[in-house]
Amino acid sequence: MCELLVGNLESGDRLEALIFSAIYLKWINTGQIPCFEDGGHPRPNRHAEISRLIFRELERIYCMKDTSLQEVLSIRKIHPCLPSFKAEFTASVPLTRIRDVAHWGDIPHDLKLQIKHTIQNKLHRNAGPEDLVATEAMLARITRNPEEYSEAFVEQFKIIHHELKDFSMLGNLTEQLESIKESFDDRSLSALTLFLECKERLDNLEESKDALDKSIDLLLKTAQSLNTLREVIVKGLESSLRNDVPDAAIAMRQKWRLCEIGLEDYSFLLLSRFLNALEVVGGAQQLKENAESKNVSSWNGPLGSLFVGIRQLGLSGWKPEECTAIGNELLAWKEKGLSEKEGSEDGKAVWALRLKATLDRSRRLTEEYSEALPQMFPQKVEMLGKALGIPENSVRTYNEAEIRAGYCYFSGLKTLYASFKSCLKHTWVSRLGRSCSRSCSWNPNPGYVIIQYMSSPTVDRWAVVKQILCYLKGAPGDEVTAAGNNIKGVVLLQELPHLSHLGVRAGQEKVIFVTCEDDDKIADIQKLNGKCVRHNTTSNFPVKDL
């Protein structure tokens, strides 16, 4: 694995090498690819040394200016699968406590043999994740009856279990953060302390109706403190590793990196819990009622959670400039609030339109991120799984669980967007209606046609087949349609400026052209791919019949 990564990271196959490595290491970690003895005697320090080499290469690539977003995502998948390379694991004879325990004087002979053959020999000849599983099973056995084995023996075995967890980097988030506390300065330490305090209060909060309002405030405060702490850690990881950096510093950087990734995962959990709590206290309906009465203070919490979610994407390396711009917009609209009048316009309408534009921008960003992994991994997962003889259900599990693990978070963001949009819709639709009545340029190109329906990611990839009606996921608006005779209609699944180049050209070429942002309608549209349909469009009802 080390040779694969180091040998390919400078070539054009760098992304492919990273993706295949992420898949392979995940299967190693989950036991889908077991580690067997091969007659050699590579102690765990060999695994630690290889891990250190891989980590250095990954960090070097991570900090390069030409690293693609897809490569960053792949690297972040690999990091949690690497074992620790702290000094105690790179020593010439690491993890020797298991040898002492296997020869403990006051335990039965058969237990000594079982520890020696199932854990000690395997660990010292070809360590793997299954050793931690075997140790957990043994620990459960010797602690089942508290008086059966001596307290000293049980305590030593618990230490062995902790060492193996440490070697496999499987401590929980609090344990990981506590392990890097000594490397923090005063400012960083205050951020860490605040987050750990909020997390502890949240973990101990009783689930009751009285505690619901407190939990919403605490969830938001915890998310904000997490945001601050992760910013501190990411800042500390910005500089690349020097060639002469000490091994102890590299080992500490690995801890920092895993803490940063762990905070990202925990932020997804916090946002999901926040959305659930928001629904319990009224959700979208409550926000809508407050907006109608021009009381928008209740929107501060949801907008604050959206700011945290967008910021987390930026800290993960996904379009950080765009994330910063969206975050600044959210903070600006939150600070500005709602006015009775803005110039000659109704303040609530302007507030709603302004907020809707930022929400649309946020949604496009998160959808791009959530679609990136399915485009990168599934085909290679199937290819590698077939080559290694991985069972089909395990391949399916990787695609469904690993790749889509973050979808609950993004579906949560989409739920938040839907709540916002349903609250704002009555305001901005009426506003658009007044604008449209003053500008004939906005009227969609009406028409009626019975044709084949096809999808296309962008305008530039329209297929030259029969007469078709295209639905497009996105279009910047400056495309040259050149539709010819085959394109008879376009349904664009996003907003577009009324006088965009695409809209004007579609009108010139007598092509039916409408936009649609309704999620339910979009879901119905996507079911029609490849079918013959009748599309009836009028200026008053853009998608009247489909």
Side-chain angles (χ1 to χ4, degrees):
M1 178 59 64
C2 183
E3 293 176 2
L4 171 68
L5 288 173
V6 176
N8 284 277
L9 289 182
E10 295 294 345
S11 70
D13 298 329
R14 186 167 71 188
L15 176 60
E16 189 172 75
L18 289 169
I19 293 174
F20 278 124
S21 298
I23 299 167
Y24 180 79
L25 288 174
K26 184 64 178 181
W27 278 335
I28 289 284
N29 258 27
T30 56
Q32 296 299 328
I33 302 176
C35 298
F36 294 107
E37 298 182 33
D38 60 357
H41 205 165
R43 294 183 182 276
N45 61 322
R46 178 58 179 158
H47 300 74
E49 291 165 357
I50 293 173
S51 176
R52 182 167 56 201
L53 289 173
I54 293 175
F55 179 81
R56 288 191 68 124
E57 287 297 317
L58 295 180
E59 286 296 288
R60 185 178 67 83
I61 294 299
Y62 201 96
C63 295
M64 291 172 60
K65 292 183 179 180
D66 65 340
T67 303
S68 69
L69 298 175
Q70 289 76 14
E71 288 168 345
V72 169
L73 291 179
S74 301
I75 289 172
R76 296 180 68 81
K77 289 283 184 183
I78 295 174
H79 274 309
C81 298
L82 297 177
S84 171
F85 43 83
K86 293 195 304 184
E88 61 191 89
F89 301 127
T90 55
S92 58
V93 186
L95 297 170
T96 57
R97 192 184 306 271
I98 186 66
R99 182 182 58 194
D100 300 332
V101 168
H103 294 84
W104 202 268
D106 61 355
I107 62 174
H109 182 67
D110 64 325
L111 182 60
K112 291 181 181 180
L113 291 178
Q114 189 172 359
I115 293 174
K116 180 179 177 63
H117 294 303
T118 62
I119 302 176
Q120 180 189 351
N121 290 347
K122 169 66 171 59
L123 183 62
H124 285 168
R125 292 174 184 170
N126 196 355
E130 54 276 346
D131 299 325
L132 179 60
V133 176
T135 304
E136 288 175 344
M138 182 63 68
L139 182 60
R141 172 185 168 181
I142 66 177
T143 56
R144 188 177 300 120
N145 301 317
E147 304 298 329
E148 187 173 359
Y149 302 103
S150 68
E151 185 177 339
F153 168 73
V154 173
E155 183 62 29
Q156 287 298 307
F157 207 91
K158 287 181 178 179
I159 294 175
I160 291 171
H161 177 253
H162 178 77
E163 288 176 343
L164 282 177
K165 277 183 65 178
D166 195 18
F167 179 60
S168 302
M169 305 297 282
L170 293 178
N172 60 43
L173 180 58
T174 300
E175 293 172 341
Q176 290 178 338
L177 290 171
E178 290 285 356
S179 72
I180 66 173
K181 181 184 291 188
E182 63 185 39
S183 63
F184 276 17
D185 58 23
D186 292 340
R187 177 179 175 275
S188 303
L189 192 59
S190 63
L192 173 61
T193 302
L194 176 60
F195 169 71
L196 290 177
E197 288 175 354
C198 290
K199 184 177 182 297
E200 183 179 8
R201 288 172 56 200
L202 190 61
D203 292 340
N204 296 331
L205 190 67
E206 296 181 1
E207 294 185 3
S208 65
K209 188 174 181 181
D210 296 336
L212 189 58
D213 291 336
K214 291 182 180 179
S215 70
I216 291 178
D217 293 337
L218 185 54
L219 281 165
L220 185 57
K221 185 177 180 180
T222 306
Q224 291 169 340
S225 65
L226 181 149
N227 208 50
T228 302
L229 176 59
R230 192 171 175 217
E231 286 176 349
V232 169
I233 295 178
V234 169
K235 184 70 175 176
L237 292 169
E238 281 182 348
S239 59
S240 58
L241 286 170
R242 303 191 315 271
N243 292 332
D244 61 346
V245 64
D247 291 342
I250 303 176
M252 181 57 71
R253 186 181 178 102
Q254 184 190 32
K255 290 184 179 182
W256 276 53
R257 179 62 71 189
L258 290 181
C259 285
E260 182 262 311
I261 293 174
L263 286 170
E264 177 192 29
D265 294 339
Y266 189 65
S267 71
F268 297 168
L269 173 64
L270 287 177
L271 182 59
S272 298
R273 289 182 62 181
F274 180 86
L275 291 172
N276 292 336
L278 196 64
E279 283 299 315
V280 173
V281 297
Q285 182 60 33
Q286 185 65 40
L287 291 173
K288 179 180 177 180
E289 292 174 1
N290 290 338
E292 287 176 345
S293 62
K294 297 187 177 181
N295 175 21
V296 295
S297 60
S298 61
W299 289 65
N300 290 340
L303 290 176
S305 69
L306 179 58
F307 171 82
V308 171
I310 295 297
R311 182 61 180 145
Q312 292 303 303
L313 292 184
L315 293 174
S316 299
W318 185 262
K319 298 188 176 181
E321 295 84 2
E322 177 68 3
C323 290
T324 299
I326 293 173
N328 290 339
E329 285 186 5
L330 288 170
L331 292 177
W333 306 154
K334 180 180 174 181
E335 182 179 352
K336 189 174 182 63
L338 189 153
S339 305
E340 284 292 331
K341 286 284 185 180
E342 293 207 20
S344 60
E345 301 292 340
D346 177 51
K348 186 169 70 172
V350 175
W351 171 81
L353 286 169
R354 183 186 289 138
L355 192 53
K356 176 184 176 295
T358 301
L359 293 174
D360 288 339
R361 189 175 182 180
S362 303
R363 181 166 186 170
R364 287 193 294 271
L365 176 76
T366 53
E367 286 181 343
E368 288 172 3
Y369 183 88
S370 63
E371 292 169 0
L373 289 179
Q375 293 173 0
M376 291 164 52
F377 279 86
Q379 184 178 3
K380 292 180 173 59
V381 170
E382 294 179 6
M383 186 187 307
L384 189 60
K386 185 176 181 180
L388 295 175
I390 303 296
E392 281 189 24
N393 64 315
S394 298
V395 173
R396 220 168 27 247
T397 298
Y398 190 102
N399 284 332
E400 293 176 358
E402 178 65 19
I403 295 176
R404 299 178 183 177
Y407 275 24
C408 59
Y409 166 67
F410 294 109
S411 63
L413 280 181
K414 291 177 182 178
T415 302
L416 190 58
Y417 299 147
S419 298
F420 286 147
K421 294 284 279 291
S422 67
C423 297
L424 299 173
K425 189 173 182 179
H426 70 287
T427 301
W428 59 261
V429 165
S430 62
R431 167 68 180 154
L432 283 177
R434 290 195 299 273
S435 297
C436 296
S437 65
R438 296 195 294 266
S439 175
C440 62
S441 301
W442 164 235
N443 290 336
N445 305 324
Y448 171 87
V449 66
I450 301 178
I451 47 183
Q452 187 178 8
Y453 204 44
M454 295 188 68
S455 69
S456 178
T458 65
V459 176
D460 296 326
R461 294 180 60 186
W462 280 346
V464 182
V465 289
K466 307 171 184 178
Q467 293 185 345
I468 61 174
L469 172 66
C470 278
Y471 70 89
L472 310 176
K473 295 190 67 174
D478 57 354
E479 294 84 352
V480 178
T481 57
N485 295 323
N486 63 315
I487 303 297
K488 293 300 180 182
V490 176
V491 178
L492 183 62
L493 308 185
Q494 69 167 67
E495 276 194 342
L496 197 66
H498 307 162
L499 294 178
S500 68
H501 185 74
L502 177 60
V504 172
R505 286 296 299 271
Q508 292 173 344
E509 297 180 19
K510 310 297 184 185
V511 173
I512 299 172
F513 182 77
V514 296
T515 62
C516 179
E517 291 188 284
D518 186 284
D519 289 339
D520 294 334
K521 176 60 72 174
I522 288 173
D524 292 338
I525 288 174
Q526 291 172 336
K527 295 176 184 177
L528 300 174
N529 189 36
K531 298 181 180 180
C532 290
V533 299
R534 180 184 68 176
H535 185 186
N536 185 15
T537 302
T538 67
S539 58
N540 291 329
F541 300 95
V543 185
K544 183 177 181 181
D545 190 7
L546 186 59

